[in-house]
Amino acid sequence: MLSATRSLADNGLLTGKVIDNKTGEVVDFAAVALFKQSDGSVVKSYQTENGGKFQFSNLPFDTYKIKISFVGYTSAIIENIVLSKQHPTKNLGTIKLKPDANVLNEVVVTDTKPVVQFGTDTITYNVSQSLMAEGSTASDVMRNVPMVDVDIDGKPTIAGKRNTRIFMDGKPSDYTAATLTDLLNVLPADAIEKIEVITNPDVQYAADGDGIINITLKKGYKIGLNGSVALTGGTLGTYNGSAYIAYRTDSLSISSSYGYINRPTTSDGVVNTTYYKNDAISSYRNQYSTNDNGNKGHNLRGNMDWDITPNQNVRVAANVNFRNTGGDSYLDDHSLDIKSVETKLIQQNNSNVNDGSSYNLDADYSLKLKNNKGTLKAGMVGFYNNNDRDRNLAREILTHSNGLLVKTRQYYNNVAANTGLDLNLNYYRPVTKLSSLSMGFQSSFHKNDNDQFVTGYNFDTLQDTVNSNLTNRFIYYENIYAVYASYSLRTKKRWSFRAGGRTELTDASFEQDKPATASMKPYINFFPNISLGKSFRKRYNVGISYSMRIARPRDYALNPLVDSSNTANIFYGNPALKPSYTHQVELSFGAFGQKWSFTPRLSYANSGHIIERIRMDTVSTYENVGSSNTYALNMFGNYRPTKKITFTGSFGVSRTTYESTFNLSKNTVGYSYRASVGPSIQFPKRIAFEGNVNYYNRASVQGRSKGSVSASFGARKGFLDNKLFVRVMSVDPFAQRRNIQFVEGINYTQERNSKLATRNYQLTVSYRFTKVGRNTVNKQKKDSSKAPETPISE
């Protein structure tokens, strides 16, 4: 009878969440001890897990106190927690641990979250802490992220990595290459919380790609209603606007963002080609081009995060993107003989219009199992992207030897549609207080449909006729099934260890109108992943990691549709490409002081069947060119002489050896360099200044991209208690952005010089607002009075 009575009483529930008071980051693996208030006896103990959350269930009604502790933090104690029949459930909300001033681990402790944080295999750029983000786009912000290179078209890659994937909120975005660039050019930076550069992704991530850039979008971060609006105008004729709004309660967070951009672009290009025969110069070909384009886009995103119960959570996010680009380009193509006398002149005018849209739905459900049995999480991502591009080409060809003038006119219509569905199921469970196990299953089903229709105008019949050689359709299917497991361990002596494996089955096929459809055999791969780390003397850490990765050929590399709009650069994809495999090892070290930090990283990567775009005279395509070995050293540091001034800098150098048959020499060695430096200064009267200068010089299998410099500087002043901000910004004030490439082929050398008009001076006005209900304020005050040692908010 006593047992039955006791079981009826054991129904109290106590929950909470632990975060870092300074940075707002969740604190996993923190020890939570529950005591009786009356005699101080220990009732239960717990360890925070994914998301810094803890839970005590089946508690007898009584008065309790808890103590929360973790290495590097001051312990927090909350007393007089009453569980009764009238109030059987108590949510302590968000409990903030204060960092111990005498203990430093991964980052320098500052009054606010630093812009850049360094982990063993992850670099985090906190976009919300950078004034450069206001009125900017994701593509603009990427240029300031350590270890990220952004090319002249706005495509980001991790320095030293051949194949980089872009994730959104931890999920693969899997947009087409062109669509992804368009999305990053319109996604407002104000909607981004942080950008993570992951050089050794855990096995829960797909094995495709040498590294991952993960963009985490903002959610409701304060109780109540909060948001921001921003308008930006620039001297280049650019203007954009963005709005962000979020509403949050104890258990529900709803947020939405909208961005619009209008960005005209002007660029010039020169391509000088020298041809050889029997090791002697035989002829020349020089091209001069000018491009004027307009880019407009809209991006709308909505997010809901709902704690249905203390043990259940649902998250749903939707993203819609519309874009329109178009403009005109002009090309002069001069063919010269060995004496530099012109033999042929081609003049071409192009006009193009491009309309596209993207739709993405992302949903997750998580369930925390009873009795500390772990967490189960299921999710899905569905997406659809489409692109419709029209091009009109008018060409005149003059041959000087006979004075013959030929006129041609072509029309290209390219329609691309990309659809996909990703499903995942993950189980996470603490094994002990300092160890955990994670395992799961993932599947992805993708289809990429490309349809090209080309006509030529007959000046004799005055009619358009279908060009059957260029008209074609290519459909690519890729289904991947994966299982993975990972074990993590931390010790009281500050060792950390993680080991895991991932197995993927790839089933791919394609269809095309001509030639006939070819079959591709399914293949299975196993990808190991292991890392070991150690923190010591309270301010140093060291880590080493190994992983195997795969680079599957993407749609743009496989697509065999021929683009002959430039007779000196006829391009088509290669559906016969094979996957490339990379084995990579990284050694990291970190040293941290009160005013400085220094984190060098040494890495080695061996890649086989590497996929690169190869130029062969007037034709370019993708090939499995051979193998490469890369050694890289990347160093990052910051110095903070005062609380108001911070200097950050980075430098990287890599040496790559290529073994390939697509060069004049079969074995080539290339060095790549990159560097960045920038100050951040807080002045009196709410004035802030931030700057950044980037440089890179990169080698490739057929040559190199010579030194490119980009720079941005901004100053901001706050008004109305830091609700209204005015920012002035200069982009590339010293020089327009250039890209110079040297290419070496089997029978030619080539220099490609392009210049993009990027010098721009911008003015941004933004307004932020926060509205907190009176009940919420009173509740926060009441909870804070119960725990004077630790500030508590919800």
Side-chain angles (χ1 to χ4, degrees), residues 320-424:
V320 180
N321 176 265
F322 301 99
R323 54 199 173 274
N324 171 266
T325 62
D328 300 295
S329 63
Y330 310 92
L331 175 70
D332 288 341
D333 185 343
H334 305 267
S335 296
L336 312 172
D337 63 16
I338 192 173
K339 296 180 180 180
S340 298
V341 176
E342 184 174 274
T343 58
K344 182 188 290 185
L345 172 63
I346 301 175
Q347 292 183 310
Q348 182 172 307
N349 297 334
N350 303 335
S351 63
N352 72 92
V353 177
N354 187 17
D355 291 301
S357 59
S358 303
Y359 308 87
N360 186 286
L361 179 65
D362 181 359
D364 286 312
Y365 170 78
S366 62
L367 172 65
K368 186 178 296 183
L369 304 178
K370 295 181 179 180
N371 301 321
N372 200 25
K373 292 291 183 64
T375 301
L376 193 64
K377 187 174 183 179
M380 62 80 65
V381 178
F383 59 87
Y384 171 74
N385 311 315
N386 68 81
N387 210 61
D388 191 340
R389 185 183 186 191
D390 292 311
R391 289 178 292 167
N392 287 284
L393 289 67
R395 184 182 296 142
E396 292 185 353
I397 305 173
L398 174 62
T399 304
H400 292 296
S401 60
N402 54 17
L404 180 64
L405 178 65
V406 177
K407 294 183 178 181
T408 64
R409 203 163 70 191
Q410 278 184 317
Y411 165 75
Y412 279 78
N413 174 249
N414 292 87
V415 178
N418 190 31
T419 58
L421 176 65
D422 295 342
L423 304 173
N424 64 83

Side-chain angles (χ1 to χ4, degrees), residues 602-646:
L602 183 65
S603 63
Y604 166 75
N606 170 263
S607 300
H609 298 292
I610 57 177
I611 301 171
E612 290 233 7
R613 185 169 176 173
I614 297 298
R615 300 182 186 277
M616 297 168 287
D617 197 359
T618 60
V619 174
S620 65
T621 187
Y622 284 90
E623 294 283 354
N624 293 109
V625 299
S627 61
S628 69
N629 292 281
T630 301
Y631 298 87
L633 173 65
N634 289 285
M635 297 179 289
F636 312 92
N638 68 60
Y639 175 61
R640 195 181 190 205
T642 71
K643 291 184 177 181
K644 302 295 184 181
I645 302 175
T646 301

Side-chain angles (χ1 to χ4, degrees), residues 414-415 450-453 470-474 512 514 558-563 571-573:
N414 292 87
V415 178
N450 293 269
D451 193 358
Q452 178 170 281
F453 177 74
L470 298 178
T471 298
N472 198 359
R473 186 179 183 184
F474 177 75
Q512 57 179 332
K514 51 182 180 292
L558 293 166
N559 189 347
L561 305 186
V562 179
D563 184 350
F571 171 74
Y572 52 86

